[in-house]
């Protein structure tokens, strides 16, 4: 309840998360049938990077700021197009003042037949998010613990969709809760696409987390990780990862292009690293 994403909006972790989110939504739009996006920890939806909070940390400068400071290679530009076009739509004068959180990014990319369900527990952030989407009949904003949504709000009536689980990791045991939450949600909505975010920092139990996910025996599970600096010299965030369940068949190849580029563009020291691997399905790789 103390976490406020405004201090971190647009940072390197957001770049990876939102680039992949945009690809997943774009993939769902390939079929005419409607879909729903369930965003379990939605935040306030839209962030003012000129605010005192964002300026205090300046994390966006080394994230979306670096990404837009010079031209992109052609193949990378194609992959990032849905994400960056949404950012540019919010900043028509060419500046980077407004940054879309996951619900706003999703809403920009949706078609008229698609729907968004966004959950936020923090009372003040819920009010801000609710005001942002006030009057938007395609969006439902609920003041709710996002973990509960993995049971109560699945499956969606559209029978197609994406579930984004992006908890703040304020308390111990969040990696276990991600595994447990995915297990429960997958039983209810096995045909859905799931995208789970997690932090990389000193002491995080990543190997056990991956092993616990593999033990769920979900047929297709893809992992993407980006670290921008060594975890040895900081107690803060050094990187982040995503687990994608039922990924589009093109995503692994796109990650193999995107991640090396992001590693080079966003690196903060020589220990930056990036990888994509199958945890289940396709070709499982040794870590």
């Amino acid at each position: 309840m103390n976490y406020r994403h405004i201090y971190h909006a647009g940072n390197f972790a957001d770049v990876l998360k939102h680039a992949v989110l945009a690809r997943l939504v774009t993939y769902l739009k390939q079929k005419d049938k409607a879909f729903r996006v369930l965003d379990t920890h939605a935040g306030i939806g839209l962030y003012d990077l000129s605010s005192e909070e964002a300026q205090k940390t300046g994390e966006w400068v080394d994230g979306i700021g670096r990404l837009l400071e010079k031209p992109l290679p052609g193949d990378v530009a194609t992959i990032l197009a849905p994400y960056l076009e949404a950012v540019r739509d919010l900043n028509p004068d060419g500046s980077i003042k407004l940054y879309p959180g996951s619900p706003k990014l999703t809403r920009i990319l949706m078609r008229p037949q698609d729907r968004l369900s966004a959950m936020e527990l923090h009372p003040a952030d819920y009010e801000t998010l609710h005001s942002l989407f006030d009057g938007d009949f395609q969006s439902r904003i609920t003041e709710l613990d996002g973990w509960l949504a993995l049971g109560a709000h699945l499956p969606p009536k559209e029978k197609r969709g994406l579930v984004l689980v992006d908890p703040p990791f304020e308390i111990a045991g969040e990696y276990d809760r991600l595994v447990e939450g995915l297990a429960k949600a997958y039983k209810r909505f096995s045909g859905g696409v799931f995208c789970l975010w997690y932090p990389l920092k000193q002491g995080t139990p990543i190997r056990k987390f991956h092993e616990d996910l593999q033990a769920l025996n979900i047929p297709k599970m893809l992992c993407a990780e980006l670290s921008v600096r060594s975890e040895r010299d900081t107690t803060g965030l050094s990187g982040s990862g995503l687990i994608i369940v039922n990924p589009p068949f093109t995503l692994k190849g796109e990650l193999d292009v995107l991640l090396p580029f992001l590693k080079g563009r966003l690196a903060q020291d020589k220990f930056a690293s990036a990888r994509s691997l199958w945890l289940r399905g396709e070709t499982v790789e040794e870590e």
Side-chain angles (χ1 to χ4, degrees), residues 5 20 22 110 149 160 183 206 278 284:
H5 193 66
V20 172
M110 280 165 41
R160 296 184 67 227
I206 301 304
W278 289 100
V284 177

Side-chain angles (χ1 to χ4, degrees), residues 34-265:
F35 62 82
R36 182 175 295 270
V37 175
L38 176 63
D39 191 336
T40 64
H41 299 77
I44 65 173
L46 186 64
Y47 298 91
D48 182 355
L49 299 183
S50 68
S51 69
E52 181 181 350
E53 296 90 344
Q55 290 292 320
K56 183 176 181 179
T57 60
E59 290 188 18
W60 67 272
V61 174
D62 287 327
I64 188 64
R66 285 200 197 179
L67 201 61
L68 294 177
E69 69 184 3
K70 54 187 176 181
L72 305 172
D75 50 355
V76 172
T78 299
I79 294 169
L80 290 176
Y83 165 47
L84 295 184
E85 286 172 7
V87 174
R88 292 187 178 107
D89 284 349
L90 293 170
N91 299 279
D93 63 354
S95 67
I96 314 175
K97 180 182 179 183
L98 296 177
Y99 185 81
S102 51
K104 182 64 174 178
L105 175 62
T106 297
R107 185 64 185 90
I108 290 171
L109 295 172
M110 280 165 41
R111 305 163 302 179
Q113 66 266 43
D114 305 322
R115 297 294 183 268
L116 168 68
S117 293
M119 316 297 161
E120 178 51 50
L121 183 60
H122 192 289
D125 287 358
Y126 162 75
E127 290 297 336
T128 302
L129 183 67
H130 188 269
S131 297
L132 180 65
F133 288 97
D134 188 34
D136 182 357
F137 74 92
Q138 288 183 244
S139 303
R140 178 182 298 173
I141 312 303
T142 307
E143 187 174 4
L144 181 71
D145 182 347
W147 295 110
L148 299 178
L150 295 177
H153 290 258
L154 293 176
K157 65 179 182 179
E158 293 83 3
K159 307 301 182 186
R160 296 184 67 227
L162 164 65
V163 180
L164 175 65
V165 187
D166 177 21
F169 280 80
E170 282 188 300
I171 60 176
E174 292 287 69
Y175 291 94
D176 292 335
R177 292 184 79 183
L178 270 180
V179 175
E180 294 163 4
L182 176 60
K184 177 173 64 176
Y186 186 80
K187 287 180 180 178
R188 299 180 65 92
F189 189 35
S190 61
V193 179
F194 294 83
C195 185
L196 283 59
W197 181 90
Y198 58 96
L200 298 174
K201 58 174 69 174
Q202 192 174 50
T204 49
I206 301 304
R207 181 176 292 275
K208 180 182 183 300
F209 175 55
H210 287 176
E211 290 173 350
D212 290 346
L213 287 168
Q214 289 170 324
L216 298 179
N217 290 321
I218 293 173
K220 288 192 176 183
M221 192 180 302
L222 183 62
C223 169
E225 292 183 344
L226 171 68
S227 293
V228 297
R229 60 178 177 264
S230 170
E231 65 182 30
R232 296 179 181 178
D233 301 324
T234 178
T235 57
L237 196 69
S238 59
S240 68
L242 298 170
I243 302 296
I244 305 101
V245 171
N246 294 329
F249 73 93
T250 56
L251 186 61
K252 178 64 165 69
E254 291 176 349
L255 289 173
D256 289 343
V257 172
L258 179 62
L259 286 171
F261 168 79
L262 292 180
K263 170 190 168 184
R265 179 68 65 94

